[in-house]
Each structure stands twice: as structure tokens, then as C-alpha cells.
Amino acid sequence: MDSCGDKTTDQSEIWNGAGGEAWVVAQSLLDRAFAPLERLLADAVPETSASCVLDVGCGTGATTMAAARRLGAAGDCVGIDLSGAMIDAARARAAREGVPARFLRADAQTYEFEPESVDMIISRFGIMFFDDPVAAFVNLRRAASAGTGLCCIAWRSPAENPFMTTAERAAEPLLPGVSRRVPNEPGQFAFADHARVQDILTRGGWQAIDVAPIDVSCAFPASELDLYVSRLGPVGRALRGVDEKDRARVIETVRPAFEPYIHGAEVRFTAACWTIRARA
């Protein structure tokens, strides 16, 4: 194996292809792992003043539905995401669970929202993938009514999130280049730099900006570690189209690197993130 696989950087192509499909397959794993962050965002939604909540980069809908449950019938919770597969999964899930949430397949950077129609904006790992983040936050600001709150969660640096880079570092000898990350490009760690995040929101027209570090304990079943390694992140992307023999070889090579994170039946790690708050 002498290639790290699919290197496309087009976000629509990634999330409407195998990337989006992988997140649908791993929905329960991801929802369990990031449940503490879901609760944090739901608690940020004011029950008394928020009537329309927009969830940016909503994925398969967990955070949108959490906000909808918090507001009840009086609220209007809308999730927006590029991925058709994830939006389809979110709609099916909301219908199945009887949660009054709506979902929109679109790019929040360019979508023509009704001006001043949103009272609260939330996002769990959905804001790091914009091609032009300043333009995206300008567009979200137009959608926000006066006083609208913004509460987003984004990853801090790779160095502060060793769990998130474990697979790619272990797989590098077999998948050369898989661990290469370009600072500030759209992707998981695009918002790693505190000053850059502050500048993006300032230029986007937001006020009362507060970018604060949080460290959150997360976990998922150890039985799902192979799914995590083989479908998600740079290694998951690199393994698309790889034959079963080579795939198994990569997984066998990578698995021991996660031993420090395995505690009984769980994989446990710390998510080093920013909480990004602002007001329109």
C-alpha cells in the first residue's frame, strides 16, 4: 500500500459520498461518544426565548432533536447539512421517534435563509468545514434576529486531541501520507487556532464573542472500535476501495495503538474542544 487513498477536499463531494454514508453507519457510535456535547448544546437553548433554533452541520440529527425535545411543541428546530444521506437519516429518525424537528439539505454558507428568522444557532462539530468561514458566519448573521445567541463546539488542536489522531499515526507506515493535516483547511481541526476563530466571528459580524476551552470525557463501546477505525477519519477515507486483505492488515496494525484508551468494555477519551459563543 503506497497511497493514503481519496484526497478530495470538496466538502459536498465528501459528505454526499462515502463520508456521509460512513457517519450514517456509525450514527449510534458517534451519538454515544458525543452525548455530553449534545447535552451541553441543548442546555444552551433558552426555553423561554428561543422559538426557532438552527443546528448547523446537523449530521444525523441528534443535536437538532435534543433542542426540539427541550423546546417542545412551541419551538421550531431546523437542522441543516450538506449530506443527503445524513439528512435522510435525520428525517427518518425524527419521524420514528416522534420528535418535531425539520431538516434541510443545503450549505449553510450559501443558503438563502429568511432574514432575521432564527433565534438561536447551535452546532456540534458542524462549522469547521466551510470553504469560506467568514462568508458562512456573515450568512448566519443575516439569518439571525437581533440578540440571537450562537453556541458552537469545535475541536481544538490535534496535539490536544491525541485520541483523534491515533489511527492515522499508527497507520502511517502502511498508508503513507494519511496523517498529513494542513492547518486551517476545511476539516476536523480547522478551528484549532483561538485567534483565528475570534477573527472569523468578528469579521462575520458577531458580537460578545467568547471562545473558551472545554475538556469533555467521552466513551463508546470497545466492540465498535474496528468500525471507528475502518470507516471514520483519515484512515477510514484511505481504506475506501482497499481490498479486504489490506484493510484487515491496517486494522490489525492500528488496533494496539488504542490500548491506552480501552477500559473494560469501553473506549474512553477526552475531547479537547472550544465552546464558541457570540450574539447577533
Side-chain angles (χ1 to χ4, degrees), residues 11-276:
Q11 296 302 309
S12 181
E13 183 177 342
I14 290 169
W15 294 110
N16 284 294
E21 293 168 4
W23 273 63
V24 171
V25 170
Q27 172 190 312
S28 62
L29 182 164
L30 294 165
D31 285 350
R32 176 163 175 173
F34 298 135
L37 301 173
E38 174 189 315
R39 291 190 291 271
L40 186 155
L41 287 173
D43 289 346
V45 175
E47 293 179 283
T48 56
S49 61
S51 59
C52 182
V53 176
L54 177 66
D55 183 9
V56 178
C58 66
T60 56
T63 47
T64 317
M65 293 169 62
R69 291 188 184 97
R70 180 173 174 84
L71 292 182
D76 180 22
C77 295
V78 182
I80 183 170
D81 202 286
L82 271 175
S83 171
M86 288 197 281
I87 288 295
D88 287 346
R91 287 171 176 159
R93 185 180 184 184
R96 184 170 62 248
E97 298 181 24
V99 177
R102 299 187 290 119
F103 296 95
L104 175 67
R105 179 188 175 186
D107 185 347
Q109 177 178 312
T110 57
Y111 183 75
E112 294 186 8
F113 296 101
E114 181 180 344
E116 300 184 13
S117 60
V118 175
D119 303 307
M120 183 74 194
I121 298 173
I122 61 174
S123 179
R124 183 185 69 182
F125 303 141
I127 58 172
M128 305 95 66
F129 303 94
F130 295 125
D131 294 325
D132 185 341
V134 172
F137 278 95
V138 167
N139 196 39
L140 293 172
R141 172 64 187 86
R142 292 194 192 105
S145 59
T148 288
L150 175 83
C151 184
C152 304
I153 297 172
W155 295 102
R156 298 204 315 263
S157 69
E160 295 170 285
N161 286 284
F163 176 84
M164 286 292 147
T165 60
T166 294
E168 63 207 65
R169 287 183 281 115
E172 179 67 27
L174 298 178
L175 300 169
V178 74
S179 62
R180 185 180 69 88
R181 303 256 189 176
V182 179
N184 299 334
E185 76 172 2
Q188 182 177 10
F189 296 114
F191 276 36
D193 185 274
H194 181 283
R196 181 171 184 263
V197 175
Q198 187 91 20
D199 179 65
I200 287 169
L201 267 71
T202 299
R203 293 166 62 196
W206 292 86
Q207 300 177 350
I209 300 164
D210 180 41
V211 182
I214 55 168
D215 296 295
V216 180
S217 297
C218 300
F220 62 86
S223 60
E224 297 186 5
L225 180 58
D226 285 1
L227 171 63
Y228 172 84
V229 170
S230 64
R231 297 300 298 268
L232 301 173
V235 173
R237 290 195 296 273
L239 289 178
R240 292 166 196 160
V242 172
D243 65 51
E244 287 304 316
K245 180 180 178 181
D246 285 343
R247 174 185 291 269
R249 182 182 170 202
V250 170
I251 293 172
E252 289 299 320
T253 298
V254 168
R255 192 184 293 121
F258 283 93
E259 287 180 4
Y261 300 99
I262 298 175
H263 301 269
E266 285 190 325
V267 175
R268 299 176 189 169
F269 64 96
T270 298
C273 303
W274 300 118
T275 53
I276 303 167

